[in-house]
Amino acid sequence: MIKKNISLKNYNTFGIDAKTKYFSEISNEKDLVEKIKKCKKTPFRILGEGSNILLTKDYNGFTFIIKNKGINILQENEYEIVVEVQAGENWHDFVLWALEKDYAGIENLALIPGTVGAAPIQNIGAYGMELKTVFKSCRALEIETLTFKIFNKKDCDFGYRSSIFKKELKEKIIITSVCFVLQKPPHKMNTDYDPLKNALKGKKNTIQNIADAVIDIRKSKLPDPSKIGNGGSFFKNPIINNDKFLKLKSKYPEIPNFFESSNKIKIPAAWLIEKIGYKGKRFGNAGIHNKQALVIVNYGNAKGRDILMLAKEIQDKILIHFGIKLESEVNLF
Ligand code: EPU
């Protein structure tokens, strides 16, 4: 069914009240192809659960919400399984499914908001793990030819919060399902991330304990979008070269930093934002979360442009203070 002139307030975790001219949910691949054919010259865009977007204005086209569901094991041997998950499945529900079946590989990614289909686009990551580690392939509709293609891991050019789907293939394909390889026991686990290591002290290393610890950490730092609108980390953590890092370190000896690759250092954007005094600040309906400075929040009735203006102000201040250009992590529409 196609609806007209509806508000997307309940379809984006920022809770922004922006309108779309046409709106429809997509339940399977056939439905997707038929609805795209109908668009002809009308522009369209695809959303999952709207957990990594900021709606900055009303949209004069179609907004399609991907809702296709299903989790199917395609192959299995004594060590691992290959599982195909439809794009509209909720990511955390998939993590819970894997935990229940005792399949390892995504436990550190528990409680990340959003859909499975959106996960490869920005190569979701948290607590020492990234999606690319368990990703096998995805199936996607090529918009120009209306044919389905398979993208294997090597085709996807995964990087930190990035993939080919955010670059060369941006707006050219629509992911409809994703295949993952998950491990059967005995599990290899990743507990290198310090806050996770601390939370697991005195506990057994099991995938369930890891997921529980991740859930606790996330709940303690990140605002629950059902209570206070937000899109998770608003900016990417900037990656700078060694020369620039040494200059900053001489001025700020305490600057936290993480090795990225030779000559590349990742600096937490949250630290930079805290350093300019913005953590916990509120400007009308928009503000910076008081427990995690990388999260911009909507206190109720913020417009997309209120959030955007605050983000721009932060970017300008960080550029002036540190000579670092912060890039947005959420997608702006
Ligand atoms: N820090 C501050 N102030 C703060 C928060 C953090 O100075 O208010 C500094 C501390 O030095 C801390 C460091 O930043 O050690 C890193 O903080 P944290 O571990 O909370 O992670 P992050 O770098 O801010 C990234 C991801 C998160 C992910 C966490 C955990 C990005 C853009 N964000 O945040 O992902 O959950 O690591 O792995 O890479 C998301 O993408 O929406 C998201 C929440």
Side-chain angles (χ1 to χ4, degrees):
M1 194 178 67
I2 291 168
K3 295 184 189 161
K4 270 187 96 175
N5 293 323
I6 76 147
S7 164
L8 293 171
K9 194 172 168 61
N10 295 327
Y11 293 90
N12 71 102
T13 59
F14 253 116
I16 302 293
D17 188 6
K19 287 196 181 60
T20 180
K21 187 156 185 199
Y22 304 105
F23 172 93
S24 186
E25 295 185 345
I26 303 286
S27 50
N28 55 48
E29 288 186 348
K30 191 166 163 264
D31 186 25
L32 176 66
V33 174
E34 277 167 10
K35 284 191 176 133
I36 289 193
K37 272 187 190 158
K38 272 197 193 135
C39 284
K40 293 193 181 109
K41 289 207 168 96
T42 315
F44 66 87
R45 66 185 180 193
I46 304 286
L47 299 185
E49 290 175 11
S51 59
N52 202 45
I53 58 163
L54 177 67
L55 300 174
T56 59
K57 48 184 180 295
D58 291 343
Y59 185 58
N60 200 21
F62 273 97
T63 300
F64 293 125
I65 311 280
I66 297 284
K67 287 277 197 181
N68 56 334
K69 304 272 182 197
I71 303 181
N72 291 303
I73 295 176
L74 299 185
Q75 286 168 28
E76 135 161 58
N77 62 29
E78 84 186 91
Y79 309 106
E80 61 189 29
I81 60 148
V82 176
V83 59
E84 182 184 39
V85 188
Q86 299 304 307
E89 285 283 349
N90 171 269
W91 173 265
H92 183 61
D93 285 349
F94 172 47
V95 174
L96 295 178
W97 175 91
L99 288 170
E100 198 196 300
K101 305 255 192 262
D102 212 18
Y103 298 139
I106 50 176
E107 54 283 355
N108 298 48
L109 305 180
L111 213 62
I112 295 184
T115 58
V116 167
I121 295 176
Q122 59 151 340
N123 181 25
I124 57 168
Y127 306 102
M129 197 179 263
E130 279 185 333
L131 171 119
K132 70 173 184 191
T133 318
V134 290
F135 178 95
K136 184 173 192 295
S137 62
C138 65
R139 184 175 152 89
L141 180 70
E142 187 178 61
I143 293 167
E144 199 185 335
T145 59
L146 288 183
T147 55
F148 285 92
K149 304 231 148 121
I150 301 291
F151 293 88
N152 290 310
K153 190 191 312 217
K154 63 174 175 20
D155 307 322
C156 298
D157 193 20
F158 288 124
Y160 165 60
R161 288 297 195 277
S162 136
S163 74
I164 194 161
F165 311 116
K166 262 186 122 168
K167 295 183 282 187
E168 291 93 319
L169 294 182
K170 193 173 177 193
E171 286 161 23
K172 294 201 162 53
I173 59 108
I174 300 165
I175 294 176
T176 54
S177 67
V178 187
C179 285
F180 300 93
V181 180
L182 301 180
Q183 307 303 319
K184 288 183 173 177
H187 297 140
K188 260 198 268 147
M189 283 165 279
N190 181 344
T191 58
D192 291 346
Y193 186 84
D194 281 338
L196 184 55
K197 225 184 269 167
N198 293 338
L200 285 166
K201 270 195 187 128
K203 290 189 182 140
K204 265 175 76 182
N205 268 8
T206 62
I207 56 171
Q208 186 65 57
N209 282 345
I210 291 177
D212 288 345
V214 165
I215 290 170
D216 285 349
I217 300 170
R218 290 190 78 95
K219 282 188 172 161
S220 71
K221 287 188 183 173
L222 299 168
D224 176 354
S226 68
K227 299 198 176 93
I228 178 154
N230 74 89
S233 300
F234 197 92
F235 302 105
K236 288 195 212 177
N237 286 324
I239 295 169
I240 59 176
N241 66 30
N242 217 20
D243 284 351
K244 183 153 197 168
F245 171 65
L246 291 175
K247 273 187 205 135
L248 279 174
K249 190 156 173 67
S250 66
K251 206 164 167 199
Y252 307 99
E254 77 286 12
I255 188 166
N257 57 90
F258 301 93
F259 173 82
E260 181 68 16
S261 62
S262 63
N263 196 30
K264 296 261 183 271
I265 315 274
K266 195 188 266 178
I267 307 291
W271 184 85
L272 300 171
I273 296 169
E274 196 167 333
K275 203 75 192 164
I276 57 162
Y278 272 50
K279 186 172 181 172
K281 269 200 171 188
R282 181 171 176 166
F283 303 83
N285 281 312
I288 294 95
H289 189 49
N290 59 1
K291 297 201 186 92
Q292 221 308 357
L294 196 46
V295 180
I296 301 186
V297 295
N298 172 8
Y299 281 107
N301 295 312
K303 299 252 180 282
R305 61 176 179 275
D306 300 332
I307 305 281
L308 195 60
M309 269 164 52
L310 175 54
K312 289 228 160 90
E313 186 175 318
I314 292 171
Q315 280 169 316
D316 289 348
K317 290 234 149 91
I318 301 275
L319 190 60
I320 292 165
H321 273 76
F322 302 102
I324 291 179
K325 214 167 158 226
L326 280 192
E327 271 177 48
S328 162
E329 202 250 354
V330 303
N331 297 304
L332 308 177
F333 281 110

